[in-house]
Amino acid sequence: MVMSLILLNFHVDQVTVQDNNILIMHKWSFLFINTFLILSELFKLNHENKIPLKEEEAMLCELQYEDIIGESAITIVSRYVDENGHKYAVKKLKREFKNDEATVKRFKREIDILHALKGEPHIVPLIAYNEDELWYIMPYAEQNLQQYITSNHQLLNIETRTNIFERILDGISIAHSRSILHRNLTPQNILLIDGEWYISGFGVEKDYSRFSQGGYCTGTYYYAAPEQVDKLKDATIQSDIYSLGKILYFILTGREPSNLLDAPSAFKFVIKGAISEKIEDRFENVSVLKKELLKYKMLQSKFSFFNLDHMTVREYLSQKSGVESKELYEVIMKSNIYDHVYY
């Protein structure tokens, strides 16, 4: 731009003009051309540097839409891809809810939470967002927990299942340490990204009256604590713990937690301690829940180590230096009665 102006000035200065009218015409021509060049160069610079667009907006514009991969009552998740073939998931608030003040506030709250937890392990990374247009970009997930457990149920051992749950506990523990409740924990909101588990969906779906048995939210109601269904603002840490207990049941059994009578005996106390109807009877926090999980996980491994098919309860206890009452109960419940022995 600067060179163009210098050349133009040089050309005008070298013109010898006798008529004042012609000189005035040349001056006006110079001003017109000069203004045109300045505007052209500014447009070029703005286009090259994308000045009018925010960085987040520019990123979404550079991605190519592929398909819808998920939908809830108020949001829609689509798959996008960049020029290098890298996939992303874009979550947007549905158009019909953009004038719903309460719903918009909850969606923005989810963005704020992900921003606050950015970089923390097992929390889905926030790549870009736009609170005016109500969308955000996150990594593309190969599967969610619902899909993973359903498709691999017959192949997963207890160690793998409990390891997944431990990763979920670690993520929620971090959120709780920041005084952040999830309030919408379900297998659909636990995502598998590059072989690791991440928690998403921090509390957008709150109106349980919108749930339908035929839609995306099928089964979500089963994971919500009773006090949360009755009144959302009554949700506490124990509300998330209730949902975590239901998720543990699903991970271990592959079934929706509509009936917990058939919970695996080795982890029945853990599940019961999380999903009690009374809030005060649930685990105090996620750390206590994880401690109990690890205790019964160790007990489960001991069951696998000993050949219990041909061992009496008395023989099992003789190999232990000390047994708590809960562990004794689990041993008895795990055993089969072949014959009565009286002493």
Side-chain angles (χ1 to χ4, degrees), residues 62-64 81-88:
E62 293 170 357
L63 298 178
Q64 181 178 349
V81 63
D82 65 16
E83 59 183 7
N84 297 316
H86 299 139
K87 296 178 181 179
Y88 300 87

Short mmCIF file of all heavy atoms in Angstrom, two decimals, residues 62-64 81-88:
data_model
loop_
_atom_site.label_atom_id
_atom_site.label_comp_id
_atom_site.label_asym_id
_atom_site.label_seq_id
_atom_site.Cartn_x
_atom_site.Cartn_y
_atom_site.Cartn_z
N GLU A 62 -14.24 -22.50 9.65
CA GLU A 62 -13.27 -23.29 8.91
C GLU A 62 -13.57 -24.78 8.95
O GLU A 62 -12.96 -25.56 8.21
CB GLU A 62 -11.87 -23.02 9.46
CG GLU A 62 -11.38 -21.61 9.20
CD GLU A 62 -10.10 -21.29 9.95
OE1 GLU A 62 -9.64 -22.17 10.71
OE2 GLU A 62 -9.58 -20.18 9.79
N LEU A 63 -14.50 -25.20 9.81
CA LEU A 63 -14.85 -26.62 9.90
C LEU A 63 -15.98 -26.95 8.94
O LEU A 63 -16.84 -26.12 8.65
CB LEU A 63 -15.27 -26.98 11.34
CG LEU A 63 -14.21 -26.79 12.42
CD1 LEU A 63 -14.78 -27.14 13.78
CD2 LEU A 63 -12.97 -27.62 12.13
N GLN A 64 -15.98 -28.19 8.49
CA GLN A 64 -17.02 -28.65 7.57
C GLN A 64 -18.00 -29.56 8.30
O GLN A 64 -17.61 -30.54 8.93
CB GLN A 64 -16.40 -29.39 6.39
CG GLN A 64 -17.42 -29.87 5.37
CD GLN A 64 -16.78 -30.57 4.18
OE1 GLN A 64 -15.55 -30.51 4.02
NE2 GLN A 64 -17.57 -31.23 3.36
N VAL A 81 -15.51 -31.62 10.66
CA VAL A 81 -14.15 -32.07 10.34
C VAL A 81 -13.36 -30.90 9.76
O VAL A 81 -13.92 -30.03 9.08
CB VAL A 81 -14.19 -33.25 9.33
CG1 VAL A 81 -14.81 -32.82 8.00
CG2 VAL A 81 -12.81 -33.85 9.13
N ASP A 82 -12.05 -30.84 10.05
CA ASP A 82 -11.22 -29.78 9.50
C ASP A 82 -10.54 -30.26 8.22
O ASP A 82 -10.73 -31.40 7.79
CB ASP A 82 -10.21 -29.26 10.52
CG ASP A 82 -9.17 -30.31 10.93
OD1 ASP A 82 -9.04 -31.33 10.23
OD2 ASP A 82 -8.50 -30.11 11.96
N GLU A 83 -9.72 -29.40 7.61
CA GLU A 83 -9.11 -29.73 6.33
C GLU A 83 -8.12 -30.88 6.43
O GLU A 83 -7.76 -31.49 5.42
CB GLU A 83 -8.41 -28.49 5.76
CG GLU A 83 -7.34 -27.93 6.68
CD GLU A 83 -6.71 -26.66 6.14
OE1 GLU A 83 -7.20 -26.15 5.12
OE2 GLU A 83 -5.72 -26.19 6.74
N ASN A 84 -7.65 -31.20 7.66
CA ASN A 84 -6.71 -32.30 7.85
C ASN A 84 -7.40 -33.60 8.23
O ASN A 84 -6.73 -34.61 8.50
CB ASN A 84 -5.69 -31.93 8.93
CG ASN A 84 -4.84 -30.74 8.53
OD1 ASN A 84 -4.38 -30.66 7.40
ND2 ASN A 84 -4.64 -29.81 9.46
N GLY A 85 -8.73 -33.57 8.29
CA GLY A 85 -9.47 -34.78 8.61
C GLY A 85 -9.72 -34.99 10.09
O GLY A 85 -10.29 -36.02 10.47
N HIS A 86 -9.31 -34.05 10.94
CA HIS A 86 -9.55 -34.16 12.38
C HIS A 86 -11.02 -33.87 12.68
O HIS A 86 -11.59 -32.89 12.18
CB HIS A 86 -8.65 -33.19 13.16
CG HIS A 86 -7.20 -33.47 12.97
ND1 HIS A 86 -6.26 -32.47 12.80
CD2 HIS A 86 -6.51 -34.63 12.91
CE1 HIS A 86 -5.06 -33.00 12.65
NE2 HIS A 86 -5.18 -34.31 12.71
N LYS A 87 -11.61 -34.73 13.50
CA LYS A 87 -13.04 -34.60 13.80
C LYS A 87 -13.27 -33.82 15.10
O LYS A 87 -12.49 -33.91 16.04
CB LYS A 87 -13.68 -35.98 13.90
CG LYS A 87 -13.64 -36.76 12.59
CD LYS A 87 -14.24 -38.15 12.75
CE LYS A 87 -14.19 -38.93 11.45
NZ LYS A 87 -14.74 -40.30 11.61
N TYR A 88 -14.37 -33.09 15.11
CA TYR A 88 -14.78 -32.33 16.29
C TYR A 88 -16.28 -32.51 16.50
O TYR A 88 -17.03 -32.84 15.58
CB TYR A 88 -14.48 -30.83 16.10
CG TYR A 88 -13.02 -30.52 15.88
CD1 TYR A 88 -12.48 -30.54 14.58
CD2 TYR A 88 -12.19 -30.20 16.93
CE1 TYR A 88 -11.14 -30.27 14.37
CE2 TYR A 88 -10.85 -29.91 16.72
CZ TYR A 88 -10.33 -29.95 15.44
OH TYR A 88 -9.00 -29.67 15.24
#
